[in-house]
Amino acid sequence: MARLLRPGLRSIIVSQLRSASDHQMGSLGGGAGKGGGAGGSIREAGGAMGKKQVAEEELYFRRKEQEQMAALKQHHQDEIEHHKKEIERMQREIDRHKGKIRMLKHDD
């Protein structure tokens, strides 16, 4: 659902969800048993290193999402170009058939 929202609105909602989840389970990267555990030895230790790892992971996934969005946009642009070429090709076919019909009418 968050992907369907405008980027500004999406970031607000995501930050609200993170804020709400921090209150329920503790801060991410805060150590094992504090909401950020079981993410590896650094995250289990908690503290600044755990929080840094969480921030790096979020950055990685944000960049990955941007790459995917760029690829999707490019795919749609390619599809649009393909369909435009198909329309042009079909229009030429229509014109060719109309020409045949005019020739048949002219022969009558």
Side-chain angles (χ1 to χ4, degrees):
M1 177 181 121
R3 291 177 190 225
L4 301 175
L5 300 174
R6 292 188 309 226
L9 184 59
R10 181 175 57 196
S11 65
I12 292 170
I13 291 173
V14 169
S15 67
Q16 291 294 325
L17 290 173
R18 282 189 187 137
S19 172
S21 67
D22 285 350
H23 293 298
Q24 291 176 351
M25 23 177 252
S27 63
L28 295 176
K34 298 179 184 174
S41 60
I42 292 175
R43 286 180 74 173
E44 286 177 10
M49 290 296 288
K51 290 178 182 177
K52 180 181 178 199
Q53 184 178 8
V54 168
E56 288 174 355
E57 288 173 4
E58 288 180 5
L59 180 62
Y60 170 81
F61 286 111
R62 191 173 20 241
R63 285 183 179 156
K64 198 61 139 166
E65 182 181 2
Q66 288 173 346
E67 290 172 7
Q68 290 172 342
M69 290 298 290
L72 183 61
K73 287 178 184 177
Q74 183 60 50
H75 171 74
H76 287 303
Q77 288 297 326
D78 295 343
E79 286 287 313
I80 289 169
E81 278 303 310
H82 169 74
H83 291 301
K84 283 181 179 179
K85 288 178 182 177
E86 283 295 303
I87 289 169
E88 291 171 2
R89 183 185 66 78
M90 290 179 184
Q91 189 61 51
R92 286 192 304 269
E93 286 294 310
I94 290 170
D95 293 340
R96 185 175 66 84
H97 288 295
K98 284 181 178 179
K100 285 183 177 181
I101 291 172
R102 277 194 303 273
M103 293 293 286
L104 290 172
K105 285 183 181 177
H106 183 354
D107 287 342
D108 289 342

